[in-house]
Amino acid sequence: MSTAPQDEFNPRLNAEYQFNAAADHLQLDAGVREVLRRPDREMTVTIPVLMDNGKLHCFTGYRVQHNFTRGPCKGGIRFDLKVDLEEVRALAAWMTWKCAIVDIPFGGAKGGVECDPKVLSTGELERITRRYTATIMDILGPDRDVPAPDVGTNDQTMAWIMDTYSMHVRQASTAVVTGKPLALGGSKGRREATGRGLMIAMREALKTMKGMPDKVRVAVQGAGNVGAIGALLMHQAGHKIVALSDERGAIHDPKGLDLVAVTKWLDDQGRQPKDKRKFLDSYPATQLVPKEKLLEIDCDVLAPCAIENQIHSGNVERIKARLIVEGANGPTTSLADKALDERGIVVVPDILANAGGVTVSYFEWVQDRMGYFWPEAEVNQRLEEKIVGSFEEVHATAKKNNVSLRRAAYILALDRVASAYKLRGLFA
Ligand code: GLU
């Protein structure tokens, strides 16, 4: 039975709560249910690294493969101080459900290294990445497990992974990782894919809601790859971005921020050396608000695009948006999710709203394996079809069963993975 998690802020318990509720709905066989609940494989590794000061430091890394019934495992690698096994377990399970919803032939995995990329030099980051890759590489491979960027990692990190793996297998293996630079078999449109998918999911959700204008006021939490690019694409589509935040502060303009100028400013910051980097709290000539207030700002749509557990029982009642599109993984706790549902606030869940990233990762993997690359318009067109089609399926499931979009997304995903599992049968 699904009962609300004891610890509201444990992402693994939140993921399991949603899993259990959908499994109850599907009346999933108890044995199959246990198989799909558990991760298939978990790896915890020590990563000794020579730091710039000449001292040896041991970092801890993880790779959790939740399920590979439908294909090789797929999922990002996170570099963050708060990474732990419970978080990686949740993120890995969400990848399984996400890949099933957009119906791409992958299972789910996630990795992480407990470190603060903001204080590490480029050399230290490269040594961490290479040693981590070499240590887990027995379980990686284009047909086994294909990492990608996540919080704290980027295309350069993926290039180091590709090189480390390739040097070990004695051939250039581009399809072992996605989110790579274009020059190394990356896909056009991959960098923008999560933000683009988010924008499409928002547009599709708006069409189903009564009394919502088609051009809306959006507050975006997070100014990384998902938040900043998602906000820019929404702005370009004619929506008004009324607020944007990062880890230090939020900028707010009820008349709408000039996202082209904000993005340019953010890009310039990215080129600054780490110790000189600025945050949105030093963005010139806008109204600054504390970053926590972003979620409560007057807007039509809220897009949490940072990390887990941002919308919780302590702030959920103050949320004013009528629609939430989850660019981050797990930004809403299960308790808050229930409260939002009761208030009639529509939530496009993470495993659908941010699936644009892994969808174009899939396109990248396909292109690498073919050795033939598509123009950006083709990538975007295929992404559009995937997100629109998946949204329609989730929405139809929600209507049919009279449940929220999140519950419907889990029902659809679990059903797909469970059916595949039953077809394969048990190897014994
Ligand atoms: N890290 C992204 C996610 O959470 C992308 C994963 C991928 O492309 O494999 O969906």
Side-chain angles (χ1 to χ4, degrees), residues 32-170:
V32 174
R33 181 177 176 137
E34 185 58 9
V35 174
L36 300 188
R37 186 185 68 77
R38 289 165 172 250
D40 269 317
R41 175 149 60 182
E42 301 184 342
M43 217 176 189
T44 301
V45 296
T46 295
I47 309 162
V49 170
L50 190 62
M51 305 302 281
D52 291 350
N53 65 8
K55 297 208 170 97
L56 197 66
H57 185 84
C58 285
F59 293 89
T60 306
Y62 308 94
R63 185 74 182 169
V64 173
Q65 298 178 335
H66 173 257
N67 192 283
F68 35 80
T69 304
R70 300 177 70 254
C73 290
K74 188 83 196 75
I77 292 173
R78 179 171 288 202
F79 282 5
D80 189 82
L81 270 183
K82 288 190 286 294
V83 163
D84 65 21
L85 191 53
E86 286 287 79
E87 182 188 56
V88 181
R89 282 175 175 146
L91 291 162
W94 284 325
M95 287 310 302
T96 303
W97 313 133
K98 197 184 296 186
C99 293
I101 287 172
V102 285
D103 204 8
I104 55 178
F106 289 132
K110 202 80 171 198
V113 178
E114 201 187 312
C115 68
D116 183 359
K118 281 195 261 348
V119 302
L120 294 164
S121 70
T122 305
E124 288 166 339
L125 283 169
E126 176 170 357
R127 293 194 288 281
I128 293 174
T129 306
R130 288 187 181 280
R131 181 65 187 244
Y132 168 70
T133 307
T135 309
I136 66 166
M137 82 159 263
D138 285 344
I139 63 169
L140 299 184
D143 290 308
R144 290 191 177 138
D145 183 352
V146 185
D150 197 76
V151 174
T153 56
N154 56 26
D155 58 346
Q156 176 61 75
T157 326
M158 300 307 116
W160 292 327
I161 295 177
M162 179 261 173
D163 182 66
T164 306
Y165 184 87
S166 297
M167 293 313 287
H168 280 85
V169 298
R170 300 281 188 262

Side-chain angles (χ1 to χ4, degrees), residues 55-319:
K55 297 208 170 97
L56 197 66
H57 185 84
C58 285
F59 293 89
T60 306
Y62 308 94
R63 185 74 182 169
V64 173
Q65 298 178 335
H66 173 257
N67 192 283
F68 35 80
T69 304
R70 300 177 70 254
C73 290
K74 188 83 196 75
I77 292 173
R78 179 171 288 202
F79 282 5
D80 189 82
L81 270 183
K82 288 190 286 294
V83 163
D84 65 21
L85 191 53
E86 286 287 79
E87 182 188 56
V88 181
R89 282 175 175 146
L91 291 162
W94 284 325
M95 287 310 302
T96 303
W97 313 133
K98 197 184 296 186
C99 293
I101 287 172
V102 285
D103 204 8
I104 55 178
F106 289 132
K110 202 80 171 198
V113 178
E114 201 187 312
C115 68
D116 183 359
K118 281 195 261 348
V119 302
L120 294 164
S121 70
T122 305
E124 288 166 339
L125 283 169
E126 176 170 357
R127 293 194 288 281
I128 293 174
T129 306
R130 288 187 181 280
R131 181 65 187 244
Y132 168 70
T133 307
T135 309
I136 66 166
M137 82 159 263
D138 285 344
I139 63 169
L140 299 184
D143 290 308
R144 290 191 177 138
D145 183 352
V146 185
D150 197 76
V151 174
T153 56
N154 56 26
D155 58 346
Q156 176 61 75
T157 326
M158 300 307 116
W160 292 327
I161 295 177
M162 179 261 173
D163 182 66
T164 306
Y165 184 87
S166 297
M167 293 313 287
H168 280 85
V169 298
R170 300 281 188 262
Q171 59 186 38
S173 178
T174 51
V176 68
V177 67
T178 59
K180 299 178 297 293
L182 287 182
L184 289 175
S187 174
K188 295 205 169 107
R190 174 63 184 87
R191 201 176 71 86
E192 298 80 10
T194 315
R196 186 175 297 280
L198 190 73
M199 177 196 63
I200 299 168
M202 176 179 90
R203 185 194 67 208
E204 294 306 296
L206 286 171
K207 285 186 200 160
T208 68
M209 292 172 70
K210 286 198 190 77
M212 280 291 246
D214 48 338
K215 300 295 176 219
V216 283
R217 297 167 306 143
V218 194
V220 180
Q221 182 197 41
N225 180 260
V226 184
I229 296 179
L232 178 65
L233 292 171
M234 288 173 186
H235 170 85
Q236 286 168 344
H239 304 289
K240 225 181 240 178
I241 308 301
V242 291
L244 180 73
S245 70
D246 64 15
E247 58 205 88
R248 295 261 189 92
I251 51 177
H252 179 210
D253 186 345
K255 292 198 292 295
L257 296 162
D258 177 356
L259 251 292
V260 177
V262 176
T263 311
K264 189 178 174 309
W265 188 86
L266 283 170
D267 286 349
D268 289 345
Q269 301 316 304
R271 284 194 283 273
Q272 301 289 328
K274 285 203 172 67
D275 52 343
K276 299 224 174 58
R277 194 168 298 173
K278 294 194 199 108
F279 291 86
L280 283 173
D281 58 3
S282 58
Y283 185 73
T286 26
Q287 193 190 334
L288 274 177
V289 286
K291 66 179 193 328
E292 304 74 32
K293 289 281 165 239
L294 181 123
L295 300 167
E296 302 165 18
I297 270 169
D298 185 25
C299 61
D300 305 306
V301 181
L302 176 61
C305 301
I307 49 167
E308 299 96 70
N309 298 332
Q310 298 302 295
I311 304 174
H312 48 77
S313 51
N315 62 10
V316 66
E317 292 307 324
R318 293 194 295 277
I319 282 172

